[in-house]
Amino acid sequence: MEIIWISHDDNRFKVRVERDEDLWYLSHVIQSGDYIEGQTERKVDMGTETKTDTVRKTFFLGVDIESVEYDPELKSFRASGRITKCPEEVSKGRYHTFDVQEGDVITVTTDRLTKADVKKLDEATTPPSSVLLVLVDRDSARFAALTPSGYDVCRVLDGEVEKKAYDQATTEDFHSRVAEHINELCETDFDDVVIASPGFWKENVAESVTTDSVIQATVSRTDDQGFNELVKRPEVDTALSSEKNRREGEIIERLLASLRNEEATYGWEQTVDHILMGAVEELIVSENFLSSKKKDKEYDEVEDVMRRVEEMGGDVAIISSDQAMSRVDGLGGIAGRPRWKA
């Protein structure tokens, strides 16, 4: 996601959607009661008095959002409500649905742009750099790190396979070398690997990769254009989700270790007391907890304590992956690791 601008004065932000995963982040920021505007398609009647002809046209519309829907299977985010800003061809007050897609630029106005909202938008701009992308064919391989803007090629490997005759032993030797390079890179810089090829070459390589998280994908080519194709594949989104789950899982493991030593605090009142004493180094908050506080119009208190933790040099982790979030929800939705040991 590209953040074009954020205005805290009037609780507005403008973003460009760059990948499917951005829709998940938007679904956690945009809600009923917000306002959205941007270019969107809508059916209009272009017929005559005797014949009706309906066509789809692109308009710049503004909509007061009454409902939002995110479908993780379809990678779809929709915001629906009544039109409040439109050209003359469109009737104000009619219902319209923004079907937000990759490449769309939208501006959103909220009742309050919270610290957690901004943090969530920032997360979408910086996908983890610990995802390794590998393009491989019969006798060449290219390695790249996934970056916020796409990819950064870090290594190129060429083999010596005969072009005219298929040499099984030589090909397997080259693909073993590719796997060795992947294992080497994963020892120091990467946790997740997406191996892609036009045919079955990826399978040959994956057999010898020792890292736990290996995802295979199909692309039509193995030059830089292949990377452009790969970063848009759903397998890359899967790798990003895996990285997110792992990162949040590590936070939960640290929290549970502190709980076992009777050092951590959990639940709203107890955690706030420790924050006010300056005793919380890392505050862990469930996305479900934040949503419930927003619904109950009690979010201001939560944002105040999150700000206080950061002002005292601590960290705030907002947990949203299912398994990790259920752990935090079981502790009251909020918990804190201590600044010092008892």
Side-chain angles (χ1 to χ4, degrees):
M1 182 186 299
E2 176 190 358
I3 298 177
I4 299 173
W5 50 256
I6 293 178
S7 174
H8 293 280
D9 293 335
D10 50 6
N11 299 313
R12 302 172 68 219
F13 63 87
K14 186 174 184 178
V15 297
R16 184 191 312 277
V17 177
E18 295 183 326
R19 56 188 306 116
D20 289 340
E21 192 186 44
D22 294 344
L23 302 177
W24 179 87
Y25 287 98
L26 289 176
S27 73
H28 284 74
V29 175
I30 302 173
Q31 58 187 330
S32 174
D34 293 345
Y35 168 82
I36 183 173
E37 64 179 27
Q39 298 282 354
T40 178
E41 286 191 349
R42 182 175 174 83
K43 290 181 180 180
V44 292
D45 293 332
M46 301 292 290
T48 63
E49 293 182 0
T50 59
K51 182 180 179 181
T52 300
D53 188 12
T54 301
V55 298
R56 297 189 70 87
K57 294 185 64 177
T58 300
F59 299 98
F60 188 91
L61 302 181
V63 167
D64 285 335
I65 300 174
E66 296 182 10
S67 65
V68 294
E69 177 185 357
Y70 173 69
D71 188 326
E73 297 292 332
L74 300 177
K75 302 291 186 181
S76 167
F77 176 72
R78 297 159 62 88
S80 303
R82 292 186 181 275
I83 299 171
T84 56
K85 182 178 183 178
C86 59
E88 292 182 356
E89 300 104 302
V90 180
S91 300
K92 187 177 292 187
R94 301 288 295 274
Y95 275 95
H96 180 75
T97 296
F98 268 84
D99 187 3
V100 184
Q101 301 177 1
E102 180 182 327
D104 287 351
V105 176
I106 57 172
T107 302
V108 177
T109 304
T110 71
D111 288 336
R112 173 167 182 171
L113 189 60
T114 68
K115 193 176 189 67
D117 291 337
V118 175
K119 194 177 186 73
K120 190 67 68 178
L121 293 173
D122 285 339
E123 285 180 12
T125 67
T126 54
S129 60
S130 62
V131 176
L132 176 65
L133 308 177
V134 182
L135 298 179
V136 62
D137 57 20
R138 188 182 180 197
D139 63 349
S140 67
R142 298 173 68 81
F143 305 76
L146 183 66
T147 69
S149 59
Y151 63 93
D152 182 16
V153 177
C154 59
R155 188 173 297 186
V156 177
L157 186 65
D158 292 317
E160 298 178 354
V161 179
E162 291 290 336
K163 300 294 185 180
K164 295 181 180 180
Y166 184 83
D167 186 335
Q168 179 70 33
T170 306
T171 303
E172 288 182 349
D173 179 65
F174 172 69
H175 290 150
S176 295
R177 287 174 54 207
V178 175
E180 289 174 4
H181 281 262
I182 294 174
N183 293 335
E184 175 190 328
L185 289 167
C186 288
E187 285 182 2
T188 55
D189 300 315
F190 300 97
D191 294 317
D192 296 88
V193 184
V194 181
I195 305 173
S197 71
F200 56 83
W201 313 116
K202 56 184 176 289
E203 300 169 11
N204 294 351
V205 174
E207 289 177 355
S208 301
V209 174
T210 57
T211 187
D212 292 334
S213 181
V214 180
I215 299 171
Q216 299 181 37
T218 299
V219 291
S220 61
R221 52 198 301 174
T222 55
D223 56 7
D224 281 355
Q225 291 301 314
F227 280 125
N228 291 332
E229 180 182 348
L230 180 57
V231 296
K232 298 176 182 179
R233 294 281 305 173
E235 290 86 354
V236 173
D237 288 334
T238 300
L240 289 171
S241 297
S242 174
E243 173 65 19
K244 182 174 184 293
N245 291 341
R246 181 184 301 105
R247 189 171 62 250
E248 294 191 354
E250 291 171 353
I251 293 172
I252 298 304
E253 287 304 315
R254 291 197 298 267
L255 172 62
L256 295 178
S258 294
L259 286 170
R260 286 192 293 269
N261 294 329
E262 299 183 350
E263 296 168 348
T265 180
Y266 60 92
W268 173 249
E269 293 184 2
Q270 187 182 48
T271 303
V272 169
D273 287 343
H274 281 69
I275 291 172
L276 295 177
M277 291 188 294
V280 173
E281 174 70 20
E282 183 177 37
L283 180 66
I284 298 100
V285 187
S286 159
E287 184 74 49
N288 287 336
F289 180 79
L290 294 178
S291 297
S292 67
K293 288 296 183 181
K294 287 180 182 178
K295 184 177 180 180
D296 296 338
K297 309 297 183 183
E298 297 175 351
Y299 186 84
D300 288 356
E301 297 176 273
V302 185
E303 184 160 44
D304 286 342
V305 299
M306 290 193 295
R307 183 183 297 111
R308 183 180 288 267
V309 170
E310 292 182 332
E311 287 174 350
M312 291 187 291
D315 296 321
V316 176
I318 299 172
I319 305 298
S320 54
S321 56
D322 291 341
Q323 187 173 358
M325 187 163 56
S326 66
R327 291 287 190 95
V328 184
D329 288 340
L331 297 172
I334 186 169
R337 291 181 57 247
R339 187 176 295 277
W340 54 78
K341 293 186 178 180

